[in-house]
Amino acid sequence: MTSAVYDYLTASVIVGLLFVVAVVAIPNTSFVGLLSVDQQQLRSVAIEVLNDMLLSVGHPVDWGSYNDFNPQAVGKFGLALSESSSSFVLDPDKVERLVLDNPLGCLDYLRVHRLMGLQGYGFNVKIAAPFDVVTDNLSVGNNLKFRVTVKFNNGKPIPNAVIDAKIVYALYEGGSSDDENYSLRLIHVSNRTDELGKGVVEYGIGENSDFVAVFQTTVADVTTVTAIYGNFPPNNIAEVNMVKDEVVLTHPKSRPNDNRWIENVVAFTEDGLVTLFNGTKADALNYGSRRVWKRIFNGLKNLDPILLILNVNCVERGVGRKGTLVVGPYPNVNGSRVIEYGGTPMGTTVELHRAVKISGMTYVVQLLLWKE
């Protein structure tokens, strides 16, 4: 009798275990399998979306280069440079249209979402440097000193990276009050990072000089560019934009509101600095009748400028009128081209990366895609 009871209990436990396996384990296994299939399908869609973005020129083929930009005139979205015979070379004008709050106009996310036929999906795009460069300004007075730290995007330091610092500064040449004159000077300092991915560059410049330090950091023939300003960040003096061969400066509606005279414009290219313009007091920005300054420089786009550096004679609070350097366009100055563009990720996402070329420089495009 006791044996029969034990047999009954044993059978009950086995049946219970089989029930648990049937109800819990098997459905979970099926769910994991379905989730894997779903992620694979999402990845396939993401690959198609990324290739379409980076390999298509869109319509019109130069849709980003119109001065009077109209998002409704864009019939097909694509970032590829139409003049390039190579793949994954992007048009800088089109990329600039993905920069939010671009004063010359940007292409909004919902418009791109519709143009790409992504109903039921959401996406987010970033275009950043292939590695991370952090520059600390350790300068004291006119003795410039910078500590540059170079890391992979996963945080691992990069030893033996080449640091080329091109320091542009505005040197006081004489005059007083509204007749002060500042000229641009250039110095070049180089170094390499140590085993911790750190390197120091330093140099002394003239008294009361404003400066911009542009760092070209190279790792295995791949270069990224970052900049440090001596005084104001660029959006406090003028907002700098480029469209095709035209340079456009807009007034940021901030103090001081005095006339800001554009004395010099220099293009920073992959091959170095190119002087574009030497101005007069007729070339001005203010918060009155001259809120925008425009000038066409034939062949500017063919130079593939990474940055523009401007020498602007303006009033600095607490100091008075002086030569101040401005860098742009944003966010090129920090090594990125698009900080963030698109929707907010939700649920299961797929992340893809692709190296591209913009203005001769290598960047990494990150695409996040998810089902909405």
Side-chain angles (χ1 to χ4, degrees), residues 131-172:
F131 43 88
D132 190 26
V133 178
V134 177
T135 307
D136 299 314
N137 187 352
L138 308 177
S139 303
V140 177
N142 299 314
N143 295 315
L144 304 185
K145 184 177 181 180
F146 307 98
R147 181 176 57 219
V148 182
T149 304
V150 185
K151 298 180 180 180
F152 290 108
N153 289 327
N154 62 6
K156 185 178 179 181
I158 304 177
N160 207 36
V162 177
I163 305 168
D164 280 319
K166 292 181 174 64
I167 301 171
V168 180
Y169 64 100
L171 182 66
Y172 175 64

Side-chain angles (χ1 to χ4, degrees), residues 53 123-127 338-342 365-368:
M53 281 184 178
F123 72 89
N124 188 285
V125 172
K126 298 179 182 180
I127 304 179
V338 177
I339 300 297
E340 188 167 5
Y341 179 87
V365 178
Q366 173 191 288
L367 171 70
L368 290 178

